[in-house]
Amino acid sequence: MNTVYMDNNATTRVAPEVVEVMLPYFSDLYGNPSSMHTFGGQVGHAVDEARGKIASLLGAGPDELIFTSCGTESDSTAILSALQSSPGKRHIVTTRVEHPAVKNLCENLDKLTGHKHKVTQLPVNSDGTLDLNLYEESLSDETAIVSAMWANNETGVIFPIKEMAEIAKSRGILFHTDAVQAVGKIPINLSQVPIDFLSLSGHKLHAPKGIGVLYVRKGTPFVPFIIGGHQEHGRRGGTENVASIVGLGKACEMAAKQMQDENTRVKGLRDKLEDGLLASIPSSLLNGHKTLRLPNTTNISFEFVEGEAILLHLDRFGICASSGSACTSGSLEPSHVMRAMGVPFTAAHGSIRLSLSVYNTEAEVDFVLEKLPPVIAQLRAMSPFWQGEHKGKTGSSQCKCSCS
Amino acid sequence: MWEYTDKVRDHFMNPRNVGEIENADGIGEVGSLACGDALKLFFKLDDAGRIADAKFKTFGCASAIASSSALTEMIKGMPLEEAEKVTNEDIAEYLGGLPKEKMHCSVMGREALEAAIAYYRGIPLPMAEGEVVCECFGVTDIEVRRAIAESNLRSVEEITNFTKAGGGCGKCHERLEELLREARHEVQQIIPDKRPTRLTNIQKIKLIEEVLGREVRPTLRKDGGDIELVDVDGDFVIVSLRGACGSCKKSQTTLKEYVEKKLREQVLDTLIVEEGK
Ligand SMILES: Cc1ncc(COP(=O)(O)O)c(C=O)c1O
């Protein structure tokens, strides 16, 4: 059975070209980049070269990049650094739809730092967008850092990071963005956007898992998270994950070249898929803003059916997708993103995310368009709530608790 | 990815008895869209009072659908009195087991059956009478108490796995803890317990010393170790492990699985044993 992989926001295939440039660093070129000898030194050069390629994708300076082990480490490092470098300030502004890497960290800071922190989690509109006025009002002299994701992993919705960063800068507040989903998919030019910290993760852009980068703007105060040797100019101890760094360099170089393709052909495929599903399946709703969105992501709710059941049926056809339903998350409630957007409960449990990459083909889109509608129809025929005549109206049942 | 048995997969992919029964004798509806799963169960009796036909409609995940399908297969042909005795554990067992986080799917099946039987008899549903403990998922104390007793639940997390109670905003966790404590005392009442319910600190320390001296120390000494009581602070029993035990990597296991167990059995079942630094 062929795998139709449409879960690229979860992780991506490592590009064959990336694997190829990595291989020598597992065999012949095993030197330590910090060594004095030429044998290690050549490896150091490879790391420098990769750093340059990554910097150029971001419009950053090579010295502004710190290699980390993953996006999560980058997020933790940035936020904890900001709190330590402005010890008098105990307020953080973030959003309700952040990835757990930021959300759970912010919610558990008290335990980590031993200090009480005030965390403002900004709400989002029903289309997942952010209200800039609310954002501006939330900032105060107490605010140490703003952490807002560039693009949402579940819906693909893009936040106005440039405007947000400018506002923070004008108030002297540090600004971090989790750009794990944005890097490689949409153009980013940090010479134009005054952010202080940016996180990215290799495995979301066809590099391997286990490599991340934290961008720290020149001049931004920085306190290391992992302390040890002098690697990364003492900003992150630990011998470099050389092969992965080289791979990430290649992946960034390729992403720059493929940016056009991603935003035209892949976007076209996504649109075909999305429009096709919305048209052929009644009572289906798009989650997230129609245009302020990553080119590869679509998140659709099918009312009156449950996401895990949909995924398992798709799995039978080799189609890989994911869901914001309660059952798939291992919790009993739909994802925090769906809840923050106020997606009706009739629909939140049946949300499916399909996320494409440059490797997807039109034939694959057609295959999903053929297989998915009957799955929904089959599950609905079994659903006690499905009347066959809902005409896209949503039910009125809501969460009764006061948590959301 | 959930680890489902082949039986669960089969009943999910090819659910038996999907549909509704016209003029059904029993109809039971549980769950809601908001909760993420719901089941509507129908049955028809024959002249002898046996379940001649059963059908269902389910909104929910794979295990909810599989549990519903399994339930209808199980009860078909059963006299009502026998069907009444089907428990959620029976449903889970029929399916070759369910992941523990999914046990509430089997509970939902059983509750739908109870609701359908109550409907047939024209009596109110006992479950609905209780006090609503978990507002997010509309779970009553009666449901929680029963799950604790029948499935021998020991933590809030387990209660959530079985009934969903506590899986939302979390505000009811304290109340659930209370129900757990109450259930434990009930159990103690049923099995006569020679242990005194209240101990003064001195009594507690004496008893602990006694158990350590009589059972624990001799066992540890056999392996070249020893144990010393350092302090007792409320329920916390601070000990130090000596000799072979102290350096043994398994000392944590020894402490919890052996020492704590012994003390709980013979002194007080709320004791927590920790190693002093
Ligand atoms: C928005 C976002 N932030 C952070 C992460 C975490 O990245 P990593 O898996 O590299 O730690 C992810 C990936 O799951 C993500 O989508």
Side-chain angles (χ1 to χ4, degrees), chain A residues 304-306 308-309 312-313 315-316 327 330 332-333 345-346 349 379 381-385 397-398 400-403, chain B residues 2 4 12-13 15 18 33-36 38 57-62 65 102 104 136-137 160 164 167-169 171:
Chain A
F304 310 106
V305 290
E306 198 280 329
E308 186 206 270
L312 284 181
H313 275 291
D315 192 53
R316 206 160 41 126
C327 286
L332 291 172
E333 296 200 321
F345 268 78
T346 50
H349 289 286
L379 288 170
M382 196 186 297
S383 170
F385 301 112
S397 20
Q398 281 185 353
K400 282 180 276 171
C401 66
S402 44
C403 55
Chain B
W2 297 111
Y4 287 131
F12 164 64
M13 290 292 178
V18 175
L33 258 177
C35 292
K57 282 205 154 179
T58 289
F59 158 77
C61 59
I65 291 170
K102 297 281 189 175
H104 59 84
C136 295
F137 294 104
T160 306
K164 288 186 150 193
C169 68
K171 278 199 191 137

Side-chain angles (χ1 to χ4, degrees), chain A residues 8-11 68-75 97-102 149-154 178-182 185 199-204 208-213 353:
Chain A
N8 286 279
N9 288 9
T11 195
T68 65
S69 67
C70 60
T72 304
E73 185 192 323
S74 299
D75 288 342
V97 296
E98 295 301 310
H99 186 273
V102 168
M149 64 207 312
W150 201 307
N152 186 274
N153 46 308
E154 290 191 31
D178 176 340
V180 165
Q181 292 294 345
K185 293 176 189 147
S199 306
L200 73 86
S201 176
H203 72 103
K204 309 285 182 178
K209 295 158 190 64
I211 182 73
V213 170
R353 176 188 74 188

Side-chain angles (χ1 to χ4, degrees), chain A residues 80-126:
Chain A
L80 294 173
S81 167
L83 291 177
Q84 289 181 69
S85 61
S86 29
K89 299 178 172 184
R90 297 271 170 84
H91 180 221
I92 301 172
V93 172
T94 174
T95 79
R96 284 187 53 189
V97 296
E98 295 301 310
H99 186 273
V102 168
K103 189 171 184 286
N104 287 349
L105 177 73
C106 288
E107 289 171 1
N108 291 291
L109 278 172
D110 296 4
K111 276 177 235 153
L112 277 171
T113 61
H115 298 303
K116 275 257 166 278
H117 290 276
K118 191 168 149 237
V119 180
T120 303
Q121 294 180 318
L122 295 167
V124 294
N125 301 316
S126 60

Side-chain angles (χ1 to χ4, degrees), chain B residues 17 53 81 93 100 118 125 129 132 134 222 232 247 270:
Chain B
N17 311 310
D53 197 12
E81 293 68 37
E93 195 175 313
K100 65 180 193 311
L125 190 62
E129 303 280 277
V132 174
C134 167
K222 266 187 229 149
V232 178
S247 57
T270 49

Side-chain angles (χ1 to χ4, degrees), chain B residues 230-231 237-242 251-252 255 274-277:
Chain B
V230 177
D231 197 5
V237 181
I238 317 295
V239 299
S240 77
L241 289 174
R242 298 267 168 81
S251 69
Q252 263 305 311
L255 219 54
E274 289 193 343
E275 193 169 5
K277 293 268 145 63

